[in-house]
Amino acid sequence: MRLGNIVEQLGGELLGDATLEIHALAPLDVAEPRHLSFLSNPKYRQQLAASRAGCVIVGPQMQAEAVARGACIVADNPYLYFARVTQLWQRSRQRPVGPRIHPSAVVDPGAHIDPQAEIGPLCVVERGARIGAHTVLKSRVTVSEDCVIGERCILHPGVVIGADGFGFAKDGERWEKIEQLGAVRIGNDVEIGANTCIDRGALSDTVIEDGVKLDNLIQIGHNVRVGRNTAMAGCVGVAGSATIGANCTIGGSAGVLGHLSIADGVNVSSFSLVTRSLNKPGHYTGFYPLEDNASWEKNAATLKQLFTLRERVRALEKDLKETKK
């Protein structure tokens, strides 16, 4: 693909030879003269000077340094521009479309599959499920009965939509199953990573709104609601009946306890555990800093005595006040 073709389709300002052919995309530090790369974080500017890339996508503030090195494409948001280049590249190398529903897929006659949807190998789509236009189910995806998936979604291998939520009532020493009578409703433009599970609701539905992005190995409990354009990294766990707002980010391996509410625009750090509702947008973190094990054990031992220490401080403060009188 020639640099001129890329700029014609995506915009940006090309400073360099428009006829230069790009054979691949690559990171700055390993790029070769026929590669296109990008720089979005100024802390990697030293890699820019040393890079052998044929062309680099940069922001306006890095234009002078990029031109001194060689060809560049200047864009207001180089990372977003690079994302669109990857999409353009993927479209250019797509193979001819095969059958929309793979012969090994199992689709119940009572399911509705839009003619423009694609169902991959070994998928299962059960009775009453609905799959929207231009949605792609990769291999081994299961969509259980009555679950709805919107348009332009991508479900990666091993995703399970609509397994029973974790609901049981105690009967003496045994557990009585609570039948999960709801379903899962997924909006448009949602992407779900490999082996992620979204449980069906107990009575009402579990809801994933438009534009949500879920990484691999995420567990979404029954009756959870995830607001539009929220993104979660790998191994996040969200317990039942939690409500997560729009435009949130939740870092890898973080957890959200059940029945809590998270406001729009909340960012939760990796490995944090949300134990209370978060009613204001902001960045929240809840974990101890990593340190050597001996120091951690000492601090943990001190923490166990925190309540006693607090009471002692209160008693000392009270005695001090009495002495001043």
Side-chain angles (χ1 to χ4, degrees):
M1 189 178 297
R2 292 178 179 173
L3 288 177
N5 299 140
I6 294 173
V7 175
E8 285 175 7
Q9 297 184 65
L10 301 180
E13 181 183 4
L14 173 62
L15 301 174
D17 183 4
T19 64
L20 178 66
E21 289 189 348
I22 296 299
H23 293 180
L25 311 179
L28 276 173
D29 57 343
V30 298
E32 298 292 336
R34 293 293 184 178
H35 290 165
L36 175 63
S37 189
F38 76 100
L39 174 65
S40 62
N41 192 330
K43 74 178 184 180
Y44 297 116
R45 64 198 315 158
Q46 290 182 339
Q47 291 186 11
L48 174 63
S51 179
R52 300 181 65 236
C55 182
V56 180
I57 304 162
V58 297
Q61 69 278 14
M62 299 297 296
Q63 176 176 326
E65 293 178 55
V67 169
R69 188 210 63 87
C72 66
I73 296 173
V74 181
D76 291 336
N77 186 334
Y79 193 56
L80 179 60
Y81 194 97
F82 176 74
R84 290 172 176 159
V85 171
T86 64
Q87 296 170 10
L88 182 64
W89 199 269
Q90 182 73 356
R91 288 195 298 271
S92 73
R93 60 197 290 269
Q94 281 179 340
R95 298 172 181 173
V97 176
R100 291 286 178 178
I101 299 178
H102 193 274
S104 66
V106 178
V107 179
D108 190 279
H112 174 78
I113 310 294
D114 187 276
Q116 298 301 311
E118 296 181 30
I119 311 298
L122 303 174
C123 288
V124 176
V125 183
E126 297 185 356
R127 183 187 69 253
R130 301 181 65 86
I131 311 296
H134 305 288
T135 283
V136 177
L137 274 56
K138 304 287 188 176
S139 61
R140 298 178 290 103
V141 171
T142 297
V143 182
S144 297
E145 62 270 13
D146 300 322
C147 294
V148 177
I149 300 174
E151 299 179 356
R152 300 177 302 280
C153 296
I154 301 173
L155 278 64
H156 289 278
V159 166
V160 176
I161 304 298
D164 277 359
F166 193 66
F168 300 90
K170 200 70 184 287
D171 180 13
E173 294 184 353
R174 62 185 295 275
W175 294 97
E176 193 75 28
K177 181 177 177 61
I178 299 172
E179 294 295 343
Q180 305 294 289
L181 306 178
V184 176
R185 286 188 289 118
I186 295 175
N188 300 327
D189 303 301
V190 172
E191 185 159 350
I192 303 175
N195 294 319
T196 284
C197 298
I198 302 177
D199 289 347
R200 67 192 312 109
L203 296 176
S204 57
D205 295 342
T206 302
V207 178
I208 309 296
E209 295 185 4
D210 293 350
V212 168
K213 310 301 181 188
L214 302 179
D215 199 359
N216 303 335
L217 295 166
I218 289 174
Q219 164 64 24
I220 304 292
H222 58 182
N223 297 109
V224 166
R225 187 178 193 99
V226 180
R228 68 188 185 282
N229 298 323
T230 282
M232 299 184 192
C235 298
V236 166
V238 182
S241 299
T243 299
I244 298 173
N247 298 299
C248 295
T249 59
I250 300 183
S253 296
V256 180
L257 298 188
H259 299 273
L260 300 182
S261 295
I262 295 179
D264 296 349
V266 165
N267 303 314
V268 177
S269 295
S270 299
F271 290 92
S272 296
L273 178 62
V274 180
T275 59
R276 61 180 175 86
S277 291
L278 305 176
N279 300 318
K280 296 180 180 180
H283 190 174
Y284 295 84
T285 302
F287 55 86
Y288 288 107
L290 184 71
E291 55 187 333
D292 67 272
N293 187 68
S295 297
W296 183 90
E297 287 181 345
K298 291 177 183 177
N299 289 331
T302 302
L303 185 63
K304 290 172 68 175
Q305 303 173 45
L306 189 60
F307 179 79
T308 302
L309 290 171
R310 185 187 71 172
E311 295 303 306
R312 290 176 62 186
V313 169
R314 283 181 173 177
L316 290 170
E317 289 176 340
K318 183 178 180 181
D319 290 343
L320 183 59
K321 288 179 181 178
E322 293 296 328
T323 301
K324 287 182 178 181
K325 289 180 180 179

